[in-house]
Amino acid sequence: MGAIQHDVKLRRILRGEDRWDDGSPSDQATSYFLSQMLDEVVTRIRRENPALTRPVDLLISMSGFSPLTTILAYELIRPTRLLVIYSAQADASIDFIGKHVVGGGRLRYQDFMHRPVQPTDPQGVYREVKDVLARYDTPDGRKLSAIIDITGGKKVMSAAAALAAWQLNLDLCYIDGEYDPEFRRVVPGDERPLLLANPTALFGEQEMAAALETFRSGAFDSAHAQYHDLCEQIAEPTRARFMRSVSALYRAWCDLDLSRLQECIKAVDVAQQSAERELTHQTSKTIADQLDFLRELTTEPPNPAALLVCFFVLGKHYRKIGRQDFAALLFYRTIEGCLARHLELTSPGFACKNPDYSLLGSLDTVANGYQRALQATGGRPSSELPSSISLIQSATLLYSLGDEFAAKAKLNTPSAIANLRDLAEIRNNSVLAHGYRTITPEQSERLRGRAEHLLSIFWQLHGTDTDVRALCGRLQFISNDR
């Protein structure tokens, strides 16, 4: 019998003009469709939809008064297990579904589950789905593959099922087609299954927002992992790819992993070009400025002036996210670096790690001046010049030499050196240095202010025409993904 003859026969049964099996005309019509038409319909649809051949561990189907949508979804998807969620008033459908899907080479009894819910309780569907997902594992330990069929049941159940799919990261199935008012379902034989990736995969805005919050917190490793997952899930992953590359860049930057920076810079450059249309001018400009700056850190050796700016920028980042101890260390490194680097630049060949004091003048003159400066500023007396120059020692030495930097930075008085020594003790007493104290926001702010002041003086003497404060502002980490 052809499709047209089947359709005529089906409608005659539905109208009571013909008979097929027992029950009401509707039950007879359903039985006729299942026994005489289903196999042909399923074969055709599966042939036209290769995606239906992939293995599925669990099908979760919403069911109403008609069992056909669930049975058709089962036959098309061929899952290992089936969970039917139905409204309490539609429990007669469960026997019909069970009779078809259990046995005969289909499901075992234990693999057919059914749960009643109140259609007006949107959380009911979610609870049942989550419960079943939690109770089943795959034999090989991989993630359970599950699809929610939202074709049948009341509309509120379908809406709840779609929300559950969103929350639980599941794919969706809907059997579409021309609606037949007489049969009160899709015209038999006109069924068209729509397999939709989970709503996260289609849009991903909530997950992108969550990843951005992780990114803003400074947890760049976790943000990278979230963005990586989104790159594999969402339909338009361009922005996620950009943020993934920026997360990797910022992690390497924060770790001062200079060996990885070059690779990260290239990745961000490529991702930014792809995402250009989705980014604001400000974000694009900030990233471009950061890449230009970071390239100076990838030279061998790194640009010393760029390192000083790097320390200060990272200090501001850690201070912003509440990591005051890390911020204090980086501000300390900025201050120390400005003083040490100035000494080395003004006396070519001089190195603070292994100083040759003859490069600064007569050894006796330098030694005597340094001893007087120690005495004047309240430093610990020493009969010898230091073998390696620390922050306070470099400040004391610059003070003793009457250096231009000391004058411009107002480090040319005993009280100024004593004040700097007190400031350095904040860092020295930190749990990340030599002590057991936690840096307070007020203390890290004091160190930030002094670091910024000394960096600006250093830049006036040895930097470019760029306003270093403006430069540091432009290098602050982005906080938006557009």
Side-chain angles (χ1 to χ4, degrees):
M1 188 181 293
I4 295 177
Q5 288 84 357
H6 276 307
D7 186 67
V8 171
K9 175 78 170 178
L10 185 69
R11 294 185 186 281
R12 285 180 57 81
I13 294 171
L14 192 61
R15 294 167 187 157
E17 299 170 357
D18 203 340
R19 290 190 61 80
W20 186 269
D21 210 348
D22 297 324
S24 67
S26 177
D27 290 341
Q28 293 179 50
T30 299
S31 295
Y32 181 82
F33 176 80
L34 293 176
S35 63
Q36 303 299 310
M37 300 176 65
L38 180 64
D39 289 346
E40 182 182 341
V41 169
V42 168
T43 300
R44 175 183 56 78
I45 293 175
R46 284 178 65 86
R47 185 173 59 244
E48 296 171 355
N49 294 269
L52 292 170
T53 61
R54 68 182 177 90
V56 174
D57 297 310
L58 174 65
L59 171 64
I60 303 152
S61 182
M62 304 299 110
S63 181
F65 290 104
S66 172
L68 284 183
T69 55
T70 293
I71 291 174
L72 185 57
Y74 167 79
E75 290 290 351
L76 292 174
I77 294 171
R78 307 279 175 84
T80 305
R81 298 185 181 98
L82 172 64
L83 167 64
V84 179
I85 296 178
Y86 63 100
S87 57
Q89 297 79 10
D91 53 358
S93 294
I94 297 302
D95 290 339
F96 214 110
I97 295 169
K99 183 179 178 180
H100 181 86
V101 301
V102 175
R106 292 184 172 89
L107 296 178
R108 300 175 300 175
Y109 283 98
Q110 66 191 47
D111 295 325
F112 173 52
M113 300 159 283
H114 44 89
R115 302 281 190 276
V117 297
Q118 286 296 329
T120 55
D121 178 15
Q123 292 189 5
V125 173
Y126 174 78
R127 285 193 299 268
E128 296 297 344
V129 174
K130 186 176 181 182
D131 176 65
V132 170
L133 288 174
R135 288 193 291 114
Y136 287 102
D137 296 315
T138 56
D140 53 3
R142 60 180 168 77
K143 181 182 177 183
L144 189 78
S145 61
I147 294 178
I148 295 186
D149 165 36
I150 61 173
T151 313
K154 292 181 177 293
K155 291 181 179 179
V156 67
M157 289 171 60
S158 295
L163 290 173
W166 186 302
Q167 186 68 25
L168 298 171
N169 196 21
L170 304 178
D171 291 349
L172 291 171
C173 170
Y174 181 78
I175 298 176
D176 195 17
E178 183 181 346
Y179 182 76
D180 187 331
E182 183 177 18
F183 204 47
R184 292 193 296 179
R185 62 177 295 274
V186 173
V187 174
D190 190 51
E191 295 87 353
R192 296 188 299 275
L194 301 177
L195 295 178
L196 306 175
N198 67 78
T200 299
L202 293 177
F203 309 110
E205 288 302 324
Q206 287 186 343
E207 284 66 26
M208 283 291 290
L212 182 59
E213 286 306 307
T214 303
F215 178 88
R216 286 171 173 167
S217 75
F220 298 122
D221 256 357
S222 296
H224 182 275
Q226 289 176 259
Y227 284 122
H228 180 76
D229 289 344
L230 283 165
C231 288
E232 303 300 317
Q233 294 172 4
I234 61 178
E236 294 294 336
T238 306
R239 197 156 41 97
R241 288 173 182 158
F242 168 72
M243 292 302 294
R244 178 178 62 181
S245 67
V246 174
S247 297
L249 176 76
Y250 284 2
R251 173 58 194 270
W253 191 353
C254 286
D255 289 348
L256 291 170
D257 189 349
L258 304 185
S259 62
R260 286 189 57 223
L261 272 181
Q262 195 162 19
E263 172 189 341
C264 292
I265 289 169
K266 290 179 181 177
V268 173
D269 204 12
V270 171
Q272 183 182 16
Q273 291 179 40
S274 299
E276 197 68 44
R277 296 180 62 182
E278 299 190 43
L279 304 177
T280 63
H281 172 74
Q282 182 58 55
T283 297
S284 293
K285 181 67 167 61
T286 298
I287 292 296
D289 287 343
Q290 289 175 340
L291 297 185
D292 286 342
F293 170 76
L294 290 173
R295 288 187 180 98
E296 298 186 49
L297 298 181
T298 63
T299 60
E300 187 58 47
N303 183 324
L307 267 176
L308 296 178
V309 173
C310 175
F311 293 150
F312 184 71
V313 169
L314 290 181
K316 289 183 70 176
H317 163 71
Y318 278 113
R319 175 170 163 74
K320 181 179 179 180
I321 64 174
R323 304 293 300 274
Q324 307 300 340
D325 291 278
F326 283 95
L329 287 176
L330 288 158
F331 292 143
Y332 182 94
R333 286 293 305 276
T334 306
I335 297 169
E336 182 181 50
C338 287
L339 299 173
R341 186 60 184 153
H342 173 73
L343 270 170
E344 294 170 347
L345 288 172
T346 52
S347 302
F350 186 82
C352 289
K353 288 185 177 180
N354 187 25
D356 178 359
Y357 289 101
S358 65
L359 296 172
L360 303 180
S362 163
L363 280 177
D364 288 340
T365 302
V366 173
N368 291 334
Y370 186 75
Q371 299 302 327
R372 289 194 298 272
L374 282 176
Q375 186 175 22
T377 60
R380 181 180 299 174
S382 175
S383 59
E384 297 180 353
L385 290 166
S387 59
S388 179
I389 301 175
S390 67
L391 182 153
I392 295 302
Q393 290 166 339
S394 60
T396 305
L397 189 58
L398 289 171
Y399 167 82
S400 71
L401 295 171
D403 185 85
E404 178 187 16
F405 185 95
K408 285 182 174 292
K410 296 189 167 79
L411 290 175
N412 55 349
T413 65
S415 61
I417 300 297
N419 180 270
L420 185 63
R421 183 179 291 108
D422 291 340
L423 200 60
E425 282 302 302
I426 293 175
R427 173 264 181 188
N428 293 335
N429 291 328
S430 164
V431 293
L432 297 183
H434 312 300
Y436 302 97
R437 296 180 182 176
T438 299
I439 302 293
T440 67
E442 292 75 19
Q443 289 172 327
S444 73
E445 171 58 22
R446 287 181 60 195
L447 283 162
R448 184 210 63 77
R450 182 58 64 89
E452 184 177 52
H453 175 64
L454 293 182
L455 181 60
S456 65
I457 300 300
F458 176 87
W459 210 257
Q460 290 174 24
L461 298 174
H462 305 291
T464 64
D465 294 335
T466 307
D467 181 340
V468 73
R469 284 187 170 92
L471 172 63
C472 292
R474 292 197 303 273
L475 295 177
Q476 291 300 294
F477 291 179
I478 64 171
S479 58
N480 291 303
D481 57 2
R482 297 184 185 275

